[in-house]
Amino acid sequence: MRLIVMFDLPVDTSAQKRQYRRFRKFLIEKGFVMEQYSVYSKLVLNHSVSNSYQKQLRANLPPQGNIQLLSITEKQYADIVVLRGEKQTNVESSTERKIIL
């Protein structure tokens, strides 16, 4: 299954920018991969592992902003349709983007 983290954090002041960088660094250190700006995902084995990451995310929440978590199955994730303005030949727009364990 995939744990998807979507966030919108303010970056008006230097303190807010620092909190944003800390949160983003935390996600990367935990193995999350950027899907889009402010959208990160991580492959997890099951609900208990997902719940563990959710607890860690709650412990590292910035004081301001909006963070949403979504758990989906790998099958649902594989069915994502990627739309782009220009023709792309990247792996992420083909069936090769599926992760095989």
Side-chain angles (χ1 to χ4, degrees), residues 63-79:
Q64 298 174 330
N66 181 20
I67 298 170
Q68 298 175 346
L69 304 175
L70 174 66
S71 294
I72 61 173
T73 65
E74 198 59 22
K75 171 70 173 124
Q76 291 169 324
Y77 182 80
D79 288 341

Side-chain angles (χ1 to χ4, degrees), residues 34-66:
M34 184 172 76
E35 299 286 338
Q36 292 184 356
Y37 295 117
S38 301
V39 178
Y40 286 72
S41 72
K42 178 168 179 62
L43 183 65
V44 295
L45 294 176
N46 52 38
H47 283 289
S48 62
V49 175
S50 177
N51 290 339
S52 172
Y53 278 108
Q54 289 180 30
K55 288 177 186 176
Q56 292 177 44
L57 286 162
R58 281 190 188 98
N60 287 278
L61 285 176
Q64 298 174 330
N66 181 20

Side-chain angles (χ1 to χ4, degrees), residues 72-88:
I72 61 173
T73 65
E74 198 59 22
K75 171 70 173 124
Q76 291 169 324
Y77 182 80
D79 288 341
I80 290 176
V81 176
V82 178
L83 303 175
R84 298 203 179 177
E86 296 180 19
K87 185 176 179 179
Q88 298 284 326

Side-chain angles (χ1 to χ4, degrees), residues 13-26:
T13 66
S14 60
Q16 290 172 335
K17 289 177 186 175
R18 188 169 43 256
Q19 291 165 352
Y20 168 85
R21 286 190 305 269
R22 281 185 194 151
F23 184 70
R24 186 176 175 279
K25 184 178 178 182
F26 166 78

